Amino acid sequence: MQKKSGLHEGATKILLAVLLVALVVVILITIFLMNVLIPLKNARRYITMELERSYGTGEQAYWERELKHLYRDAIPFYHLFSEKKKERSKKK
């Protein structure tokens, strides 16, 4: 019987650990995207449906504004920049 050398066992354990960590990261990213993208898609679908059904220009402007707000809220860190911009405009 031949014994495996310690180097090969260590490399195998490291490879398995890296693959396990990569799998966990992929699963976490998938869960995060599912929790963010699916509600965004459903809200966008609802707003575009209401936009198509809108009767007057005021109602259409309202739904266009809501769609812009939805996209704005979906961009990460946007609020940090928009708050600073509001503060600068108040100082002037």
Side-chain angles (χ1 to χ4, degrees):
M1 283 199 255
Q2 292 180 342
K3 290 186 176 181
K4 290 184 178 179
S5 74
L7 180 64
H8 293 295
E9 283 183 29
T12 303
K13 287 180 182 179
I14 291 173
L15 179 63
L16 287 175
V18 167
L19 289 175
L20 182 63
V21 168
L23 179 65
V24 168
V25 167
V26 167
I27 290 172
L28 290 175
I29 289 173
T30 304
I31 290 171
F32 173 76
L33 289 177
M34 296 295 280
N35 285 332
V36 170
L37 292 181
I38 289 177
L40 176 66
K41 178 184 161 196
N42 291 338
R44 184 179 57 98
R45 183 183 301 156
Y46 172 74
I47 292 174
T48 53
M49 179 187 66
E50 290 295 332
L51 187 60
E52 290 172 2
R53 290 187 341 176
S54 62
Y55 181 69
T57 56
E59 189 177 1
Q60 189 172 9
Y62 170 79
W63 288 112
E64 287 173 351
R65 200 168 44 248
E66 287 297 314
L67 189 60
K68 286 179 186 177
H69 288 214
L70 177 70
Y71 287 140
R72 183 195 67 206
D73 292 342
I75 298 172
F77 306 113
Y78 179 83
H79 299 290
L80 297 176
F81 298 113
S82 66
E83 293 298 323
K84 289 180 182 177
K85 189 176 181 180
K86 287 178 185 176
E87 288 174 8
R88 278 187 258 148
S89 65
K90 285 181 182 177
K91 288 181 181 178
K92 291 182 179 181

